[in-house]
Amino acid sequence: MEIEQLNNLGFDDLEFIHKGYLAQLAIGSAPIPEDEDRLTNILRHNPMLIRLQIQHQDRSTSIITPELTLQSLMKIVIVETSGQLESFSISYARLVLTMIRGVSQYMTLKFDRLEDLTSDDLNFIQLGPYDQLRIENTQEVEERLIGLLRQSSVLGPTVQDLVDLATADAPTNLESFSVGCQRLILTAVYSQGRIQDMTMTIGELQNLDSNDLTFIHRGHLTQLIIEAAPIPEDEDRLVDIFRHNSMLTRLQVGQGRSASVTPPELPLQRLVKTATSNTSSQLQSLSVDYGRFALTMTTPDGQAQEMVLRFNRLDDLTSGDLKFIQQGPYGQLRIETTWEEDKESLIDILRQSPAIEYIQIKGGGEQSHIIISTIGWPLENLVSLATLKANSEIECSFLVGCQRFTLTAGYSQGIIQDMTMEVGQLESLDSNDLAFIHQGHLTQLVIDSVPLSKDEDRLAGIFRHNSTLTRLQVRHGRSASVTTPELPLQNLVKIATSDTLCRLQPLSVDYGRFTLTVPTLDDQTQEMIMRFNRLDDLTSGDLKFIQQGPYGQLRIETTWEEDKESLIDILRQSPAIGYIQTKVYGRRPIVISVCGTKIEDLIHQAARTISTRLRASDTLESFSVGCKRLSLKGLMESHIAGMIGTTDMMDLIEKSMYIMDMTIGDLQNLDSNDITFIHRNRKHISQLVIEAAPMLMDEDRLKYILCHHWKLSRLQIQHQGRDEVPADLELPLQTLVKLALRNTSSFSVCYRRLNLIGGLPPGCTKDRTKTMAMTVDQLEDLTSDDMTFIQQGSLTHFTLRFPPLKMDTDRLSGILRHSLELSQFHIILEEETILLDATQPIMNLQDVLGIVDSATLTKLESSTIDYGYGPITANVSQGRIQEVAMDIERLGDLSSGYIKFIQGNRLTKLYIKHTPQAADQNLLTEILSQCPFLGYLQVGCRWDRSLAIVNLMVSVREMILEREGSSSLRIFELMDEGLIPFDELGSRDDNTHIQSHLSFSGDSNSFEMRTWIRLGDWMFEKDVGPVRSFVRRYGWSVVRFDGSIINGNAFTSILNHMPDTRTFQLEHLMIHSSDFSEDGVNHLDNMIIQSPDFKGLGLYVGNWHLERAPLLHPTLSRLQLFGGNSEVFSRIALSFPTRRSFPALESFELRPDSDCQLPLNFFSWIMAMVSATSQGLSSSSSSHFRQDTVAEQSAHCELDPERSWTPLRKVMLRQVRLQYEEWRSVIEAMDTSALEHLDLKDANIYPWQFQRVKNGHSAGIRGSLAMLRAQIALQRLEELQYVLISFEYHPWAAFMIRLQIASTIVVGA
């Protein structure tokens, strides 16, 4: 039967077909899914059917329903026919599927293009159903198809079955075959009926099953390819593969595709070890591709074979990869990478491995590469191998090394040149290394760690055998874990410089804490340079080198100034070392230590140093030279720099020296050359310091030195040079002072037991102004000679520091009685409580004051006792104590002893720095009540406690008057925290401050009060309350009220609480205009009118929004207009009068916003503000303003003819932008007769506009300018002259110019 389409069959057709007569069936179109049941019934009811044919013709172009899948169709055929079919064929346009002789035989599938097959067709190919399927197509399709088949996980026949099937009934011309599945592919060469050269490709080792491993273990493999990187669990499996395949000659791992494995990959080291350690293996080729690198091995030479490792970036390698590089296994490993910096990093990594050597070839016409060896060759063999690998025809270089060293050399024409060795640690070199080094090829030696003491002989041997060595570098590049001491610097330098055969040129030593460099050692006088950060970092060995050498000259550079002074002290301890220090302005001081101690030679050396180092543009500030015996410092004239090279340097220094300070260590150690030098240069020496106490035998020498130095202005003796000596051997203090007073204007003696300073104070020339100040620690330490000197009565100041608990009061009384010239007596206490508890048998404050009072010193002015809480000062007049003042930090810190002193002694003044708290009020009340002489009290206080403290003072005094009838308190001052005066708070302080001064009259309750208030920024209601309460009670006393930085309406709220029962004392008022409503302005006007002493009003005008200004009193002294836009300044010009209405105005300050465009002709109003009274506002310019409004607002403050005119002292026009002619008009109109401060910062004025035209002639600005702050962007440096010649100022006035000069100007111009 032939059927066109199954779905066209009718009921009668199907009834006939089901009778089972069919032997052959042909269907002319592809069945569709709806035909599946119909086809199943047809096949089921026809058991005699032996042939089935389905042929699709044109139906696919007209149907929308998809065809029945090939897989479903074959399932129906196989199941329903039960194997009776002799032939079966399906012929579609894209493929042909045929079967002959029953389903036990294979099927044949033919198609032209793999792309024509549908996904259902591919599912059939991958999943069946079939026993065997033969696919016939081209080779190109075959390779792609095999990849497709390997994706199928359906269990099929074993590898052995596949091989048997491939070779069964093989034709005689069969050359090769390939079998495979998802897990693997096996390719073999077939010749003469035998399998040869079998190659297996495995996807992932862990996917092999037992049948696969059984086949592999038969030992037929000659090549093995593993596509995915093995994982650690594969290691044993891989070992077994090698063990059972002795004919395996090639292993390839990885083909660039990444395996989807979550476990870590098998480390390269273990992979290579597995592949190379099997002795039965005949492996000739190894290739490993892990994506990030590729490793190949092609030379069959046992362990000496060379491997090649290629990678792009060193950062891509894992720690396992680096471990393989460092440890192997390999004989030689050649590494190739394109990044040169990676090669340097790789060398550093290789140096960490103790078991490998490496060679790097550079140049020679090839890309640089690295060869690593684990064979353990001696250094000489490595060098030979490097020269073998290098191209002798082309100039190149090579590097060989290991963990112990790195050797770099040039190679040209077969000759090794310029060999440099870098050694990690000298102690790590073995005998082979030293044997090569002793051949004498080295030209440079670098040691990467500090040599040890035990390395000294080894280092000396290197120098002895390498006469061509020209450079030594010791660097502290990496720390060595040493347990033995390092080689002292002195020994190292001796080795490097003492060998006469060595031609060492530069020397560089880095011990971490310091560096030592020498440009060349050809000349033993060559200068060495030593640099360090802190002197404390140096060891005793380092300091020994500094003090003893060996060197010709040593220059020391350090950044810490105090270290330089300490270093000089160290240098002076060495009897064989002299030093020079030169200091050039703008550069760090340089210290040079030289051999020899003759001062004249040192000065000559300083001259040579200056001549070689000082540039013509330098100014030499000072130089110093010295040795253990003495040192001196000299200052030079600034013109010396311009004279360098034109005259003898030494003569130039001597002529340019105008002051010299000399320090003598010990007078006894001076030699004849020193005495001669001192006498010859007596006109230069202005200050003399003697570091050791002069002895009796030194009197003549000291007298000789002092008598011949007519320019000596100061003598200082400080006992530091030697230990204490018996007092009877010292030069008596009396003799020493006589010599000093006779030959110097001032002197000081600093012994351990006392300090004495005497002579004329700076600027004084009369003998009656001479002072004699002595400071003593322990009275008991004073010698009989000291007491003899004191009893002469020449002391003017006496200080006793840290006396013991039981002080000798009799000796102190004796000192004071004999000190008739004494004006100041000072005691500094170390313990805070020792002078206050009278119950203990020690001196107390009453004793101290009693001693001072009983001494009746008519010239004594004050006696001060410094203790734990502050000083106690007694003012003395006519030998009697008149006032006793005490300073304390906080009341709460006082102990009972101090409180008793305050309450029971002659305390007249008390200063309390910090705010008394509520808990301290009772104590403060008690102090005021029980201090009968206390007349002055000053208390530091926070503003929010001000009202409480003032009320307390007033009420306590009233209570004392009621109880006692009188009170000693006359003045009470409420200050800021820390007792800071109001004027010193600073303009940047944004806090609130209240200060008051109360003066009480006699024994009445009345008092006068003056108050200063400054309001802080951003005051909240809780902050406003305390100020409002204070103002409500004492607002009548306010003389200065500063609300210039306050925000919001807090200021208005405070002013509304000012009392109106008394006349105000207000003198100065600073306000912020944005705080006021119209009612606030009216209130301000009334307050100013009620203040007869009002002097000045400052206005911080921000966003001005009022229709009129406050009542501007003619006493206005300061006007500030800050911020605002063009509209704001238009209102200001209409609401503010001009300069003629303010004769007391001293400061006019204008600073609009940086982006503000001033209104048209606003410059005319500026002219009117800065002009003198004779100028004012011209008629032409005044027409731009509503003069009726101005006149109306300022009618009350017309200029009083009797009031004196005050010229402006300060004009500030910051960020003002005017036209060229407008600036010219403003400058010409400006009153500069008394101008002290002109601030034009960020204004767009030009330099030449400072010139003013008067009567047709240019004139400068004449006045007493203290500062010109004009940051002008000059385009040419020559424009500066316009600024300089435009201002004629008083010769004694300070004058400062700040200029912002364009960066394009050459500074050297």
Side-chain angles (χ1 to χ4, degrees):
M1 178 178 283
E2 294 181 9
I3 301 173
E4 182 62 28
Q5 295 183 16
L6 285 173
N7 58 346
N8 289 341
L9 294 177
F11 179 77
D12 294 336
D13 302 332
L14 292 173
E15 186 178 4
F16 173 78
I17 293 172
H18 290 173
K19 290 181 179 182
Y21 301 136
L22 299 183
Q24 298 184 40
L25 177 62
I27 303 174
S29 61
I32 60 178
E34 287 78 1
D35 296 336
E36 186 172 1
D37 292 340
R38 180 164 293 182
L39 180 59
T40 300
N41 289 328
I42 293 174
L43 297 180
R44 184 180 299 139
H45 288 87
N46 288 273
M48 295 184 295
L49 190 67
I50 61 173
R51 183 171 180 267
L52 174 64
Q53 179 180 354
I54 299 174
Q55 183 174 0
H56 183 72
Q57 298 176 352
D58 301 326
R59 184 168 175 265
S60 61
T61 59
S62 61
I63 62 173
I64 300 176
T65 307
E67 63 189 18
L68 187 62
T69 65
L70 196 59
Q71 191 176 24
S72 301
L73 181 58
M74 290 306 301
K75 284 182 180 179
I76 297 172
V77 173
I78 294 173
V79 172
E80 298 302 332
T81 58
S82 302
Q84 77 271 18
L85 282 180
E86 296 182 1
S87 68
F88 167 75
S89 68
I90 298 176
S91 178
Y92 288 174
R94 61 184 183 277
L95 61 82
V96 175
L97 178 64
T98 60
M99 182 190 69
I100 304 174
R101 292 184 297 180
V103 296
S104 60
Q105 303 298 321
Y106 59 82
M107 297 182 187
T108 301
L109 178 65
K110 298 180 180 180
F111 56 85
D112 293 330
R113 297 176 53 193
L114 191 61
E115 290 81 0
D116 295 338
L117 302 185
T118 65
S119 59
D120 293 329
D121 302 336
L122 297 176
N123 282 338
F124 168 74
I125 294 174
Q126 290 179 301
L127 302 175
Y130 52 78
D131 288 340
Q132 295 183 29
L133 177 65
R134 178 188 179 98
I135 300 176
E136 298 179 357
N137 43 53
T138 62
Q139 183 177 1
E140 178 185 359
V141 175
E142 178 180 330
E143 294 176 354
R144 296 169 57 194
L145 187 58
I146 288 177
L148 181 66
L149 292 174
R150 293 191 62 192
Q151 300 176 13
S152 175
S153 60
V154 176
L155 293 176
T158 65
V159 179
Q160 185 62 54
D161 294 338
L162 291 174
V163 172
D164 294 342
L165 183 60
T167 57
D169 301 327
T172 56
N173 59 346
L174 179 64
E175 296 180 355
S176 65
F177 65 89
S178 174
V179 299
C181 58
Q182 185 186 41
R183 305 180 304 279
L184 57 85
I185 298 175
L186 185 66
T187 305
V189 177
Y190 195 78
S191 177
Q192 297 180 358
R194 297 180 61 184
I195 298 176
Q196 300 175 355
D197 297 333
M198 183 177 290
T199 300
M200 177 174 283
T201 301
I202 300 173
E204 298 179 10
L205 281 172
Q206 67 265 31
N207 291 338
L208 297 179
D209 59 23
S210 59
N211 292 321
D212 302 334
L213 293 174
T214 299
F215 177 82
I216 294 173
H217 290 173
R218 292 179 179 175
H220 302 309
L221 299 185
T222 56
Q223 299 185 50
L224 177 61
I225 299 173
I226 305 173
E227 293 179 328
I231 61 177
E233 288 76 3
D234 296 331
E235 187 171 7
D236 292 340
R237 181 165 291 184
L238 188 59
V239 170
D240 287 339
I241 292 176
F242 273 92
R243 185 183 303 119
H244 291 88
N245 288 272
S246 59
M247 296 185 296
L248 194 63
T249 59
R250 179 173 176 264
L251 172 63
Q252 178 179 337
V253 179
Q255 291 183 335
R257 70 180 187 92
S258 56
S260 58
V261 293
T262 52
E265 64 193 11
L266 182 65
L268 180 60
Q269 185 181 34
R270 288 157 62 180
L271 175 62
V272 176
K273 188 178 294 185
T274 300
T276 58
S277 62
N278 193 3
T279 56
S280 61
S281 175
Q282 301 178 6
L283 196 66
Q284 299 178 5
S285 173
L286 172 65
S287 174
V288 180
D289 185 354
Y290 270 23
R292 59 186 179 273
F293 68 84
L295 177 69
T296 59
M297 179 193 71
T298 55
T299 304
D301 191 18
Q303 291 300 314
Q305 58 194 347
E306 182 180 85
M307 296 184 184
V308 180
L309 180 67
R310 297 179 177 90
F311 56 85
N312 289 328
R313 294 304 305 267
L314 187 63
D315 293 340
D316 297 336
L317 301 186
T318 66
S319 58
D321 304 336
L322 296 177
K323 187 175 181 181
F324 167 75
I325 294 175
Q326 290 178 301
Q327 300 179 5
Y330 51 78
Q332 292 182 27
L333 176 65
R334 176 187 177 113
I335 297 180
E336 298 179 359
T337 178
T338 56
W339 293 83
E340 289 298 325
E341 57 269 25
D342 279 352
K343 297 172 185 174
E344 301 301 324
S345 302
L346 184 60
I347 293 294
D348 293 337
I349 293 173
L350 294 176
R351 292 189 64 184
Q352 300 173 15
S353 177
I356 63 174
E357 304 95 15
Y358 53 87
I359 301 172
Q360 182 180 13
I361 309 298
K362 297 181 179 180
E366 297 182 2
Q367 187 184 33
S368 172
H369 58 271
I370 298 172
I371 300 174
I372 307 172
S373 170
T374 59
I375 302 173
W377 282 331
L379 176 56
E380 188 171 0
N381 293 24
L382 287 174
V383 173
S384 300
L385 179 61
T387 56
L388 183 64
K389 296 288 185 179
N391 190 341
S392 61
E393 302 298 327
I394 302 176
E395 184 174 349
C396 63
S397 64
F398 64 85
L399 179 149
V400 301
C402 59
Q403 188 184 45
R404 305 183 305 277
F405 61 82
T406 300
L407 187 70
T408 306
Y411 190 67
S412 178
Q413 302 296 323
I415 300 174
I416 299 176
Q417 302 172 347
D418 298 329
M419 184 175 289
T420 299
M421 173 171 278
E422 181 177 343
V423 180
Q425 298 178 19
L426 284 173
E427 61 178 338
S428 64
L429 296 178
D430 59 24
S431 58
N432 291 322
D433 303 333
L434 293 174
F436 177 83
I437 293 172
H438 289 172
Q439 292 180 10
H441 302 307
L442 297 186
T443 56
Q444 300 185 49
L445 177 62
V446 179
I447 305 173
D448 276 339
S449 60
V450 177
L452 307 180
S453 294
K454 60 184 179 181
D455 296 329
E456 185 170 2
D457 292 339
R458 179 165 292 187
L459 185 61
I462 293 175
F463 273 89
R464 189 181 308 113
H465 291 89
N466 287 272
S467 59
T468 57
L469 193 64
T470 59
R471 177 173 176 263
L472 171 64
Q473 180 179 357
V474 178
R475 59 192 185 192
H476 191 72
R478 59 190 179 94
S479 301
S481 56
V482 296
T483 55
T484 54
E486 65 188 16
L487 181 65
L489 179 61
Q490 187 178 33
N491 297 21
L492 176 64
V493 176
K494 280 182 180 179
I495 293 172
T497 58
S498 61
D499 197 296
T500 56
L501 297 177
C502 183
R503 297 184 300 175
L504 199 64
Q505 299 294 324
L507 170 66
S508 174
V509 179
D510 182 357
Y511 269 32
R513 57 188 180 270
F514 70 85
T515 62
L516 178 70
T517 57
V518 188
T520 177
L521 290 177
D522 282 345
D523 185 1
Q524 287 300 312
T525 62
Q526 176 62 40
E527 178 183 82
M528 295 185 182
I529 302 173
M530 188 176 190
R531 297 180 177 92
F532 54 86
N533 290 327
R534 295 303 305 267
L535 188 64
D536 293 340
D537 298 335
L538 302 186
T539 65
S540 58
D542 306 333
L543 297 178
K544 186 176 181 182
F545 168 76
I546 293 175
Q547 291 177 306
Q548 299 180 6
Y551 50 77
Q553 297 178 17
L554 177 65
R555 186 172 107 198
I556 301 179
E557 298 181 359
T558 177
T559 56
W560 293 82
E561 291 295 330
E562 56 269 27
D563 280 351
K564 295 167 186 172
E565 300 302 324
S566 302
L567 184 62
I568 288 181
D569 293 338
I570 293 174
L571 293 174
R572 292 191 61 195
Q573 296 175 15
S574 176
I577 293 294
Y579 67 88
I580 301 169
Q581 181 182 20
T582 59
K583 187 174 183 181
V584 179
Y585 178 77
R587 279 194 272 164
R588 296 175 181 173
I590 301 170
V591 177
I592 302 176
S593 180
V594 300
C595 293
T597 61
K598 190 176 181 180
I599 293 298
E600 287 191 2
D601 293 341
L602 292 174
I603 292 182
H604 280 85
Q605 182 62 38
R608 287 194 295 269
T609 301
I610 293 170
S611 64
T612 57
R613 297 193 178 278
L614 194 65
R615 298 188 295 262
S617 59
D618 288 335
T619 300
L620 183 67
E621 289 184 343
S622 65
F623 76 93
S624 61
V625 299
C627 59
K628 185 175 182 179
R629 302 184 310 280
L630 77 161
S631 63
L632 60 87
K633 295 180 181 179
L635 299 179
M636 315 297 287
E637 298 284 0
S638 59
H639 65 268
I640 184 175
M643 301 173 63
I644 292 178
T646 61
T647 184
D648 178 70
M649 202 64 207
M650 183 60 196
D651 182 59
L652 179 60
I653 289 181
E654 289 182 350
K655 290 180 179 179
S656 303
M657 188 184 305
Y658 64 91
I659 186 170
M660 181 184 290
D661 298 339
M662 177 173 286
T663 299
I664 298 174
D666 194 327
L667 287 169
Q668 299 179 20
N669 293 336
L670 296 179
D671 58 23
S672 58
N673 291 324
D674 300 332
I675 300 295
T676 302
F677 175 82
I678 294 172
H679 181 71
R680 184 186 304 166
N681 292 276
R682 60 188 181 278
K683 66 178 181 179
H684 297 309
I685 301 175
S686 62
Q687 177 172 304
L688 177 62
V689 179
I690 302 175
E691 293 179 331
M695 309 301 292
L696 288 171
M697 64 184 67
D698 298 328
E699 183 177 359
D700 293 339
R701 179 166 288 185
L702 180 61
K703 185 183 300 184
Y704 176 81
I705 293 175
L706 295 180
C707 291
H708 290 84
H709 285 76
W710 52 269
K711 194 179 178 183
L712 192 65
S713 61
R714 180 171 176 80
L715 170 66
Q716 180 178 346
I717 298 175
Q718 50 189 23
H719 188 77
Q720 297 175 352
R722 58 171 176 248
D723 297 333
E724 287 290 345
V725 296
D728 56 348
L729 297 180
E730 279 186 0
L731 188 65
L733 192 61
Q734 183 177 2
T735 305
L736 189 61
V737 171
K738 283 183 180 180
L739 288 174
L741 289 177
R742 189 178 303 160
N743 298 284
T744 65
S745 56
S746 65
F747 70 91
S748 66
V749 179
C750 302
Y751 288 172
R752 293 179 182 176
R753 62 183 185 274
L754 62 84
N755 291 340
L756 182 65
I757 299 176
L760 295 174
C764 298
T765 57
K766 298 180 180 180
D767 288 344
R768 62 183 179 87
T769 61
K770 283 187 177 182
T771 62
M772 193 75 65
M774 178 178 284
T775 300
V776 178
D777 288 343
Q778 304 288 340
L779 292 175
E780 292 76 5
D781 293 338
L782 295 177
T783 66
S784 58
D785 286 334
D786 300 335
M787 294 300 297
T788 301
F789 168 75
I790 292 173
Q791 291 172 1
Q792 291 179 353
S794 59
L795 291 184
T796 59
H797 297 73
F798 184 72
T799 300
L800 182 60
R801 295 187 308 178
F802 313 134
L805 294 179
K806 296 181 180 181
M807 186 174 61
D808 188 349
T809 55
D810 294 337
R811 175 165 282 201
L812 178 60
S813 299
I815 291 175
L816 294 182
R817 276 197 309 271
H818 289 89
S819 301
L820 301 179
E821 299 294 325
L822 195 67
S823 62
Q824 301 288 335
F825 173 51
H826 192 192
I827 297 180
I828 302 175
L829 302 183
E830 187 174 20
E831 300 291 338
E832 298 177 355
T833 59
I834 63 172
L835 298 180
L836 297 172
D837 192 351
T839 62
Q840 297 182 13
I842 57 175
M843 183 188 66
N844 53 45
L845 276 176
Q846 286 87 342
D847 294 334
V848 175
L849 298 179
I851 291 173
V852 173
D853 225 1
S854 63
T856 62
L857 301 173
T858 57
K859 294 186 179 182
L860 186 65
E861 298 174 357
S862 66
S863 176
T864 304
I865 303 174
D866 279 348
Y867 67 110
Y869 299 127
I872 298 174
T873 302
N875 292 326
V876 183
S877 177
Q878 299 301 319
R880 296 295 179 185
I881 295 176
Q882 305 297 324
E883 293 181 342
V884 178
M886 185 175 187
D887 289 45
I888 59 177
E889 293 288 328
R890 292 176 176 84
L891 278 173
D893 295 338
L894 292 180
S895 64
S896 59
Y898 286 104
I899 295 174
K900 289 179 180 179
F901 168 77
I902 293 173
Q903 294 173 344
N905 287 273
R906 295 176 291 180
L907 187 66
T908 58
K909 292 184 179 181
L910 179 61
Y911 301 89
I912 305 173
K913 287 188 176 181
H914 298 289
T915 307
Q917 303 302 315
D920 301 328
Q921 290 188 186
N922 292 335
L923 177 59
L924 187 58
T925 302
E926 187 179 353
I927 290 174
L928 292 175
S929 302
Q930 300 185 20
C931 289
F933 303 105
L934 186 63
Y936 181 89
L937 176 62
Q938 191 177 84
V939 177
C941 183
R942 276 179 50 86
W943 57 275
D944 53 353
R945 292 273 300 159
S946 299
L947 179 60
I949 299 300
V950 173
N951 286 340
L952 178 65
M953 292 297 104
V954 173
S955 62
V956 170
R957 191 176 185 278
E958 290 177 353
M959 180 189 68
I960 295 174
L961 288 175
E962 291 178 1
R963 187 178 63 196
E964 305 292 340
S966 64
S967 173
S968 61
L969 187 63
R970 293 292 182 267
I971 296 177
F972 169 67
E973 286 189 341
L974 184 77
M975 304 293 288
D976 206 79
E977 275 278 297
L979 304 180
I980 302 175
F982 189 83
D983 294 335
E984 296 179 11
L985 294 174
S987 59
R988 296 184 180 273
D989 189 347
D990 295 338
N991 299 320
T992 298
H993 303 278
I994 298 178
Q995 293 190 9
S996 293
H997 179 95
L998 282 73
S999 298
F1000 299 98
S1001 57
D1003 293 330
S1004 67
N1005 290 330
S1006 63
F1007 60 89
E1008 294 181 358
M1009 184 175 179
R1010 292 170 62 83
T1011 300
W1012 296 262
I1013 297 179
R1014 173 185 288 175
L1015 299 181
D1017 193 5
W1018 294 108
M1019 295 184 68
F1020 299 99
E1021 183 59 31
K1022 65 180 181 65
D1023 303 321
V1024 175
V1027 181
R1028 197 157 46 204
S1029 300
F1030 187 93
V1031 168
R1032 187 184 298 114
R1033 178 73 181 272
Y1034 299 108
W1036 52 269
S1037 68
V1038 177
V1039 296
R1040 181 179 179 89
F1041 210 138
D1042 188 346
S1044 56
I1045 65 173
I1046 193 171
N1047 289 285
N1049 57 2
F1051 191 27
T1052 305
S1053 172
I1054 292 172
L1055 289 181
N1056 289 337
H1057 287 77
M1058 295 284 284
D1060 54 6
T1061 58
R1062 298 182 57 170
T1063 302
F1064 291 110
Q1065 298 180 176
L1066 191 65
E1067 298 176 1
H1068 293 275
L1069 182 63
M1070 305 291 290
I1071 65 174
H1072 198 296
S1073 65
S1074 62
D1075 293 332
F1076 289 92
S1077 61
E1078 190 66 29
D1079 293 340
V1081 176
N1082 294 332
H1083 188 85
L1084 188 63
D1085 292 346
N1086 295 331
M1087 190 169 61
I1088 293 176
I1089 294 173
Q1090 295 178 30
S1091 303
D1093 296 327
F1094 188 77
K1095 298 178 181 179
L1097 176 66
L1099 298 174
Y1100 284 80
V1101 184
N1103 294 324
W1104 184 254
H1105 60 277
L1106 299 178
E1107 294 298 329
R1108 74 171 182 87
L1111 179 62
L1112 300 181
H1113 203 278
T1115 58
L1116 182 70
S1117 62
R1118 183 182 186 186
L1119 179 61
Q1120 296 175 296
L1121 306 178
F1122 289 173
N1125 50 34
S1126 179
E1127 181 181 358
V1128 169
F1129 282 104
S1130 296
R1131 293 177 182 175
I1132 288 173
L1134 294 175
S1135 58
F1136 277 81
T1138 55
R1139 175 77 172 98
R1140 66 174 62 241
S1141 302
F1142 309 120
L1145 190 68
E1146 295 184 350
S1147 176
F1148 173 67
E1149 303 173 29
L1150 177 64
R1151 187 179 66 191
D1153 291 337
S1154 58
D1155 56 349
C1156 173
Q1157 191 71 28
L1158 293 176
L1160 186 64
N1161 295 319
F1162 186 74
F1163 79 95
S1164 300
W1165 185 82
I1166 298 178
M1167 288 173 54
M1169 293 304 299
V1170 301
S1171 60
T1173 181
S1174 59
Q1175 293 171 314
L1177 195 65
S1178 64
S1179 58
S1180 61
S1181 62
S1182 63
S1183 62
H1184 299 293
F1185 306 117
R1186 292 167 52 192
Q1187 288 301 304
D1188 53 344
T1189 303
V1190 175
E1192 179 183 349
Q1193 297 292 335
S1194 58
H1196 57 274
C1197 55
E1198 286 298 324
L1199 179 61
D1200 186 356
E1202 297 181 359
R1203 184 180 293 273
S1204 61
W1205 179 267
T1206 303
L1208 286 173
R1209 296 182 181 276
K1210 179 179 179 179
V1211 174
M1212 187 184 81
L1213 301 174
R1214 287 191 180 186
Q1215 300 181 170
V1216 174
R1217 299 287 189 268
L1218 299 178
Q1219 299 297 324
Y1220 178 86
E1221 293 297 333
E1222 294 174 347
W1223 270 120
R1224 180 175 179 179
S1225 301
V1226 170
I1227 294 297
E1228 290 183 355
M1230 187 178 299
D1231 180 11
T1232 62
S1233 58
L1235 196 62
E1236 296 178 353
H1237 189 150
L1238 176 60
D1239 191 338
L1240 300 172
K1241 183 180 179 181
D1242 298 327
N1244 66 335
I1245 191 170
Y1246 298 98
W1248 53 84
Q1249 290 178 278
F1250 287 110
Q1251 291 279 4
R1252 304 200 297 183
V1253 179
K1254 295 291 184 181
N1255 302 324
H1257 300 284
S1258 296
I1261 296 179
R1262 190 179 298 271
S1264 58
L1265 282 172
M1267 179 184 295
L1268 168 66
R1269 186 176 295 168
Q1271 294 197 2
I1272 307 167
L1274 302 182
Q1275 298 303 315
R1276 298 187 307 276
L1277 197 62
E1278 291 80 1
E1279 295 177 0
L1280 181 59
Q1281 65 179 326
Y1282 292 106
V1283 179
L1284 298 180
I1285 66 177
S1286 297
F1287 292 90
E1288 303 173 19
Y1289 52 92
H1290 197 278
W1292 292 289
F1295 189 66
M1296 180 169 63
I1297 300 178
R1298 295 184 178 178
L1299 296 171
Q1300 181 181 356
I1301 301 178
S1303 60
T1304 55
I1305 295 179
V1306 179
V1307 177

